[in-house]
């Protein structure tokens, strides 16, 4: 069994990296909004789904090239994220955080049903042409599409990391997550920071949605599982920590794809949740010690 | 001298219960004014109300003739007034230098950032050594200095300081008060809330004693010491 396992390990790692990159992109949105507003915007999975449909519309209906479709998805979802905040979450800023959480679930259902109403429930795809030939890469087969997925995910994460670490607005985002009242006192408009954060998180989720659609079919419920797993990734990485979300996404993707070698394939989705339960029991702060524990104590 | 900050008939609170019941006070330009009083008198609430950080506020708050009481918190600093909180006055996960840079957040022109940083580092050399460390790794006294330094990045006309001595050892406390005196000599008006009456009387030009959300006495430190107002305010009648 083990010799077989090690023979297929490079492929499992590669699959894990692809899934992990997608989870990480969505998890960044969860963790950034939690850092500032202390609630989980469960709608990110659905924003990823809308991103896939936006790209589908641009590429299949309007015959735009792939890159233009991706940019359209990013733009549409960034605006959508800001609009959702304005309509659904902003009126609840001073309410109990549970209200925002429940609203987020309602937003998810609304987006799923609106897309189903407009595009129908049947699966769609914007992949075309023959099945791609995989390249051998250290014993793993990887298609050009998969290379694109991994490269895009890593480039976007590096870009986000640079933005948050180095730019003035990025520093304002971190300052607001540290202490919103103090941030206002030094002159930071917290609503502008919140809008920016929703736009960034939603844009990354949209990118994840398009990357999923490069390999799989799209349908209105396609965002549910990646959304929940990305949430798991954010908690495992340490909610509130951006590096944690990236790391947690990779970890969930890898554990899931390696674990599946040992288990019947029907258990694949369960693996992430076992990891989640394990972390909540033994390391609730997550890998990079986010903000969960201090909030539980409050 | 003229009044820089003028507070008239200020009522404020967080829930239904008011904490301030009609506070009147004015701070002379370029003075150090201390606001003292027993616990729960509403001293910190006065400063928070100026920055719109209370649940609600009524009354007039003007700085150099401009009305502040209707502005959102993030715009107050644009009028040249900076606030240093009690206790948590730093961004803990940001570096010391980033904390200082954010003090100048509202300034669009970043050309003078380097010289302003140097000025603060000159005033607080301990911060320069730790400029790349996270702010939460600093000692209590250093955090207090970082809060002050951050507020100085904009060359404010006025500083509101909420208990700068809180939790500090006597030696560090003196150092902080000396820096505050120095900042004042350079022309910054200071309104400070203090629990530490002795230091407050020693360093201030004027004192307001607050009790149960109202100003009970105003005068110079000498006048305070000459009367029995302190005993009354702190021990009851």
């Amino acid at each position: 069994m083990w010799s077989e396992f090690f023979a297929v390990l490079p492929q499992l790692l590669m699959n894990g990296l692809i899934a992990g990159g997608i989870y990480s992109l969505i998890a960044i949105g969860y963790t950034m909004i939690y850092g500032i507003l202390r609630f989980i915007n469960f709608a990110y999975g659905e924003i990823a789904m809308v991103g896939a449909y936006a790209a589908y519309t641009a590429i299949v209906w309007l015959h735009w090239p792939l890159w233009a479709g991706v940019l359209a998805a990013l733009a549409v979802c960034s605006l959508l994220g800001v609009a959702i905040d304005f309509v659904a979450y902003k009126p609840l800023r001073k309410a109990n955080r549970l209200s925002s959480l429940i609203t987020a679930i309602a937003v998810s259902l609304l987006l799923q049903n609106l897309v189903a109403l407009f595009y129908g429930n049947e699966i769609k795809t914007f992949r075309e042409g023959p099945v791609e030939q995989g390249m051998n890469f250290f014993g793993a087969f990887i298609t050009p599409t998969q290379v694109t997925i991994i490269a895009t995910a890593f480039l976007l994460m590096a870009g986000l990391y640079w933005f948050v670490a180095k730019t003035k607005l990025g520093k304002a985002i971190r300052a607001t997550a540290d202490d919103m009242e103090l941030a206002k006192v030094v002159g930071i408009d917290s609503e502008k920071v919140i809008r920016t954060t929703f736009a960034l998180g939603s844009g990354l989720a949209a990118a994840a949605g398009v990357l999923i659609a490069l390999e799989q079919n799209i349908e209105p419920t396609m965002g549910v599982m990646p959304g929940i797993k990305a949430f798991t990734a954010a908690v495992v990485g340490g909610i509130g920590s951006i590096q944690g979300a990236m790391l947690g996404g990779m970890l969930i993707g890898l554990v899931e794809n390696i674990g599946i070698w040992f288990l019947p394939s029907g258990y694949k989705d369960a693996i992430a949740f076992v990891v989640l339960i394990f972390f909540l029991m033994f390391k609730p702060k997550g890998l990079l010690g986010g903000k969960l524990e201090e909030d539980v104590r409050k | 001298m003229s009044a820089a900050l003028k507070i008239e008939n200020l009522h404020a609170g967080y829930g239904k219960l008011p904490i301030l019941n009609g506070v009147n006070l004015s701070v002379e330009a370029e003075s150090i004014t201390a606001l003292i009083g027993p616990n729960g008198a509403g001293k910190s609430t006065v400063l928070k109300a100026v920055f719109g950080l209370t649940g609600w506020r009524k009354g007039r708050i003007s700085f150099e003739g401009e009305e502040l009481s209707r502005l959102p918190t993030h715009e107050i600093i644009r009028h040249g007034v900076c606030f240093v909180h009690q206790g948590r006055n730093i961004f803990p996960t940001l570096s010391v230098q980033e904390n200082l840079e954010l003090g100048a957040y509202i300034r669009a022109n970043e050309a003078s950032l380097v010289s302003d940083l140097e000025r603060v580092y000159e005033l607080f050399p301990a911060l320069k050594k730790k400029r790349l460390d996270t702010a939460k790794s600093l000692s209590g006294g250093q955090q207090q200095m970082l809060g002050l330094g951050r507020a100085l990045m904009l060359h404010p006309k006025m500083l509101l300081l909420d208990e700068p001595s809180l939790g500090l050892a006597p030696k560090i406390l003196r150092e902080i008060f000396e820096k505050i005196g120095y900042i004042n000599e350079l022309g910054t008006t200071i309104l400070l809330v203090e629990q530490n009456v002795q230091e407050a009387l020693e360093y201030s030009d004027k004192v307001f004693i607050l009790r149960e959300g109202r100003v009970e006495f105003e005068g110079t430190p000498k006048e305070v010491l000459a009367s029995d107002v302190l005993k009354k305010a702190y021990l009851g009648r």
Side-chain angles (χ1 to χ4, degrees):
Chain A
M1 178 189 177
W2 288 107
S3 64
E4 266 178 79
F5 171 70
F6 284 115
V8 39
L9 186 61
Q11 188 66 52
L12 298 178
L13 288 175
M14 192 61 78
N15 295 347
L17 220 53
I18 292 166
I22 287 167
Y23 297 153
S24 298
L25 284 179
I26 306 176
I28 289 167
Y30 281 117
T31 219
M32 285 180 76
I33 284 301
Y34 186 89
I36 293 173
L37 295 175
R38 299 291 193 276
F39 88 97
I40 297 292
N41 175 22
F42 265 114
Y44 278 124
E46 273 59 44
I47 292 173
M49 176 271 294
V50 172
Y53 274 90
Y56 171 82
T57 311
I59 293 163
V60 177
W61 290 6
L62 305 174
H63 305 292
W64 291 8
L66 180 65
W67 63 266
V70 174
L71 288 184
L74 292 181
V76 165
C77 287
S78 295
L79 287 176
L80 177 67
V82 176
I84 290 171
D85 173 55
F86 185 77
V87 174
Y89 305 140
K90 197 177 170 193
L92 297 173
R93 264 319 171 251
K94 289 187 174 136
N96 188 317
R97 289 185 307 219
L98 191 60
S99 313
S100 306
L101 183 74
I102 294 166
T103 307
I105 295 168
V107 169
S108 297
L109 294 174
L110 180 72
L111 289 177
Q112 274 177 37
N113 286 290
L114 280 178
V115 169
L117 195 69
F118 195 69
Y119 291 89
N121 269 316
E122 63 277 12
I123 57 170
K124 299 186 186 318
T125 178
F126 54 76
R127 288 170 297 155
E128 41 192 59
V131 174
E132 287 179 307
Q133 279 299 309
M135 303 171 284
N136 193 326
F137 183 80
F138 293 109
F141 279 94
I142 180 167
T143 66
T145 300
Q146 291 172 328
V147 174
T148 311
I149 293 173
I150 293 177
T152 310
F154 277 88
L155 273 176
L156 285 173
M157 283 192 269
L160 179 92
Y161 190 79
W162 171 83
F163 178 82
V164 173
K166 297 290 177 203
T167 68
K168 193 168 175 179
L169 196 49
K171 286 173 192 173
I173 290 175
R174 284 188 289 139
T176 306
D178 260 9
D179 190 329
M180 192 185 287
E181 187 175 300
L182 187 55
K184 287 178 185 168
V185 166
V186 302
I188 295 170
D189 180 352
S190 57
E191 286 300 325
K192 180 180 160 194
V193 164
I194 292 168
R195 283 195 296 276
T196 309
T197 308
F198 269 107
L200 282 172
S202 305
L204 293 178
V210 178
L211 297 182
I212 295 171
L214 289 179
E215 279 219 304
Q216 297 167 28
N217 297 318
I218 65 178
E219 54 184 320
T221 54
M222 67 180 275
V224 177
M225 241 342 136
I228 296 176
K229 292 207 188 130
F231 162 67
T232 304
V235 174
V236 165
I239 193 125
S241 158
I242 294 173
Q243 295 103 302
M246 298 177 183
L247 204 61
M250 288 300 162
L251 184 80
I252 294 289
L254 287 169
V255 170
E256 191 175 77
N257 279 283
I258 292 170
I260 206 59
W261 173 255
F262 301 97
L263 293 167
S265 58
Y267 286 100
K268 184 172 178 181
D269 288 337
I271 295 173
F273 305 126
V274 172
V275 175
L276 176 67
I277 291 167
F278 176 83
F279 267 85
L280 288 177
M281 282 174 74
F282 299 108
K283 205 169 186 331
K285 278 173 87 172
L287 291 171
L288 297 185
K291 296 190 157 80
L292 188 64
E293 200 183 57
E294 62 181 82
D295 287 349
V296 169
R297 258 196 257 118
K298 268 179 201 160
Chain B
M1 287 215 278
S2 60
L5 181 74
K6 210 164 173 179
I7 294 174
E8 293 166 88
N9 198 23
L10 178 65
H11 294 255
Y14 300 91
K16 277 182 184 154
L17 212 66
I19 293 175
L20 303 182
N21 301 300
V23 170
N24 291 292
L25 66 84
S26 67
V27 179
E28 298 293 322
E30 300 188 16
S31 71
I32 297 186
T33 298
L35 191 54
I36 61 174
N39 271 330
K43 305 184 294 291
S44 299
T45 307
V46 172
L47 302 193
K48 287 193 160 186
V50 172
F51 264 79
L53 296 171
T54 49
W56 56 273
R57 59 183 166 173
K58 273 182 261 174
R60 289 171 56 83
I61 300 165
S62 61
F63 181 70
E64 294 184 340
E66 288 184 79
E67 188 62 32
L68 300 184
S69 60
R70 290 186 212 299
L71 297 176
T73 302
H74 69 266
E75 285 185 10
I76 307 275
I77 195 172
R78 294 181 187 276
H79 292 263
V81 186
C82 285
F83 179 30
V84 182
H85 278 73
Q86 178 188 116
R88 26 154 250 183
N89 49 24
I90 54 159
F91 298 110
T93 68
L94 272 60
S95 74
V96 167
Q97 182 137 337
E98 284 172 337
N99 266 271
L100 293 176
E101 286 169 8
L102 282 167
Y105 177 79
I106 61 161
R107 196 165 46 204
N109 169 16
E110 302 208 354
S112 60
L113 196 63
V114 177
S115 65
D116 287 336
L117 279 172
E118 271 317 310
R119 201 173 61 102
V120 171
Y121 286 146
E122 222 167 274
L123 196 57
F124 303 111
L127 296 181
K128 186 167 190 176
K129 277 183 227 141
K130 302 221 165 194
R131 65 187 188 278
L132 299 179
D133 296 359
T134 57
K136 66 182 168 191
S137 72
L138 299 180
S139 70
Q142 289 166 340
Q143 291 190 5
Q144 196 59 262
M145 289 175 197
L146 181 56
L148 263 179
R150 190 204 68 234
L152 290 177
M153 287 294 288
L154 277 182
H155 306 262
K157 294 184 216 159
M158 180 165 188
L159 272 181
L160 307 183
L161 306 176
D162 195 356
E163 292 208 36
S165 73
L166 190 79
L168 298 183
K171 186 175 158 246
I172 297 166
L173 184 153
R174 291 212 74 83
E175 198 185 328
I176 295 265
F177 269 98
E178 269 153 32
K179 303 283 187 195
I180 293 171
Y182 175 71
I183 293 163
N184 173 248
E185 275 168 30
L186 297 181
T188 303
T189 310
I190 288 172
L191 172 60
L192 63 92
V193 158
E194 254 311 324
Q195 199 72 259
N196 195 320
V197 175
Q198 204 183 337
E199 303 288 336
L201 292 178
E202 185 179 334
Y203 282 91
S204 60
D205 305 309
K206 181 143 187 207
V207 180
F208 286 83
I209 299 179
L210 206 66
R211 186 156 172 254
E212 289 170 8
R214 280 193 191 86
V215 172
E216 187 146 296
F217 180 90
E218 62 173 284
T220 62
K222 266 190 190 150
E223 288 166 346
V224 173
L225 290 171
S227 74
D228 61 349
V229 60
L230 272 182
K231 210 158 62 180
K232 262 191 188 165
Y234 281 85
L235 301 176
R237 281 152 216 272

